[in-house]
Amino acid sequence: MRRRITQPTATVTARTAAALGAGCATLLVVLTACGSPSAAHAPSAPSGKNGDTPPGASVPRGEGSRTPDDFNGDGLRDLVIDDLVKAPEDSHGDDAGIGVVYGSEARGLDPAARQLLSAHANAAKSGDTLPAAFDAETACDLDRDGFTDLIVSTDPPYNGIGTPPVPLQILFGSPAGLTGRAVTLRIPQKARFGNDWPQQPVCGDFDGDGRTDLAVTAGGGRVSFLRGPFTRAGAPRAAESLPGGGPYLYAPGPKADTNGDGYDDLVHATRPHTPGAAAKATLLLGTPQGPTRPGGTYRFEAAEVPEAPLRTTGATGATGTTLLARADFDGDNKADTAVRTHRGERQDLIALFPARTPGRPLITFSTALFLR
């Protein structure tokens, strides 16, 4: 049931992985700065209970914007990170949560302006039960207030009888970022089909009315089409079940409207795809009725990742480097690249490479900073 947020993730070359992962022999430190001295001196946010950053304590307050992935509405793109580094004593426990690093005009991202989202602090209950899983899925402004909202997946209890509960929840953005409790996404029964779990949420204006909709998997090769805007209770303006979908849904890129007709489109596949890797799928074109018109074959393009100018040793190595996002973080209207080198559950390195100087990161840091 688990899937990552739509900021694309893709395995990159072994040479890049070795260079990124080996650049810092001291990744156990909370904040690492290889090639970006300013990152080493970035102030840390005050710590709250269980290591959570107090909501809004270090997040710049915004007034709303149309920038994608801008949870605090200050006009700067933010970064969402799943699978955070865990403390040694929690290495076999529940997920560490979801990390959010907020945007910075100077460096693209400011690790000091961060929030830790967890099931304990932020998830909605299913009856009297809090979920154990709390994973980022996708992000968009569902209620049209100028603050991006985050859709997460959870694991509500289910006895296997009848239609399963909806595992998707919405955390609404605000001037202080993502705060408070999520609400469960409401999918009317008429928009569901069969007894499959609703999964793979994809944002887009599929009916061309200027409002953000959601497409979610349904059973039997159908799509639950949820028309926006959404209420703060998680309910869509309207909903229906559409034919033609598959068990895996994706947003096309880099443009959601692939043919320029004013309607965002939807990609569906019969097997999971590693975003950023080359592959073929099927396109559903948007219409006033939603994503219903067959659009033929869709080709996922392979992602290119810049080489990192970091020293290579055999001392630290790396178990894998992934592409976190290709988007404009520094405001020059060019796609920057955020990558992550991960080594086990206790060490990682995130680097943001600007489009103008792809070989030199603007900033580097470890998600271990969320343990503070």
Side-chain angles (χ1 to χ4, degrees):
M1 187 177 73
R2 185 167 172 167
R3 179 173 167 262
R4 298 292 179 265
I5 194 168
T6 51
Q7 294 169 343
T9 304
T11 301
V12 298
T13 64
R15 184 171 57 153
T16 303
L20 278 168
C24 288
T26 57
L27 275 179
L28 289 178
V29 298
V30 170
L31 188 61
T32 306
C34 296
S36 180
S38 59
H41 301 94
S44 59
S47 296
K49 185 178 180 181
N50 298 323
D52 289 17
T53 301
S58 60
V59 176
R61 294 185 66 86
E63 298 180 353
S65 81
R66 299 184 66 179
T67 301
D69 298 331
D70 181 12
F71 303 109
N72 61 332
D74 64 352
L76 301 172
R77 187 182 291 262
D78 310 317
L79 182 67
V80 176
I81 309 168
D82 261 329
D83 297 323
L84 303 179
V85 168
K86 295 182 179 180
E89 63 271 19
D90 294 330
S91 59
H92 299 292
D94 292 338
D95 287 346
I98 303 168
V100 182
V101 178
Y102 286 83
S104 163
E105 289 186 356
R107 296 180 293 163
L109 293 170
D110 181 7
R114 65 184 185 270
Q115 287 174 324
L116 176 62
L117 309 173
S118 67
H120 175 78
N122 302 104
K125 289 184 177 180
S126 179
D128 294 328
T129 305
L130 276 174
F134 201 64
D135 302 304
E137 292 285 341
T138 190
C140 50
D141 185 1
L142 293 174
D143 59 350
R144 302 187 72 196
D145 65 350
F147 302 92
T148 302
D149 311 311
L150 183 66
I151 298 95
V152 300
S153 61
T154 66
D155 57 345
Y158 174 53
N159 62 8
I161 300 175
T163 303
V166 176
L168 302 173
Q169 299 186 4
I170 305 171
L171 269 170
F172 288 99
S174 74
L178 294 167
T179 63
R181 290 282 179 184
V183 299
T184 299
L185 175 66
R186 297 190 179 184
I187 304 181
Q189 190 60 41
K190 68 178 182 179
R192 301 187 67 173
F193 190 85
N195 291 329
D196 289 353
W197 290 88
Q199 299 182 78
Q200 308 280 311
V202 177
C203 297
D205 181 11
F206 303 111
D207 56 7
D209 67 352
R211 303 164 179 172
T212 301
D213 314 309
L214 275 180
V216 181
T217 58
R222 298 182 71 89
V223 174
S224 293
F225 175 46
L226 311 178
R227 296 180 188 259
F230 289 69
T231 70
R232 282 294 181 121
R237 177 174 57 89
E240 54 203 290
S241 173
L242 300 179
Y248 301 96
L249 302 181
Y250 303 96
K255 296 191 304 180
D257 180 5
T258 60
N259 59 357
D261 65 353
Y263 302 93
D264 287 346
D265 306 318
L266 181 67
V267 177
H268 71 91
T270 57
R271 63 185 64 183
H273 170 251
T274 301
K280 292 182 180 180
T282 305
L283 192 65
L284 284 172
L285 300 177
T287 72
Q289 291 73 44
T292 60
R293 185 156 59 97
T297 300
Y298 177 82
R299 289 176 173 82
F300 291 104
E301 300 294 334
E304 295 182 4
V305 176
E307 296 291 339
L310 306 180
R311 287 190 306 113
T312 300
T313 71
T316 56
T319 57
T321 299
T322 56
L323 178 66
L324 289 179
R326 291 293 299 272
D328 179 20
F329 286 92
D330 59 7
D332 64 357
N333 296 317
K334 298 179 181 179
D336 310 309
T337 304
V339 297
R340 178 181 188 176
T341 299
H342 201 56
R343 190 175 185 227
E345 292 185 326
R346 303 182 189 177
Q347 299 182 28
D348 72 353
L349 178 67
I350 291 177
L352 177 64
F353 294 89
R356 62 181 182 272
T357 55
R360 179 180 298 177
L362 276 172
I363 189 170
T364 60
F365 59 92
S366 168
T367 64
L369 63 88
F370 287 98
L371 296 178
R372 282 186 150 182

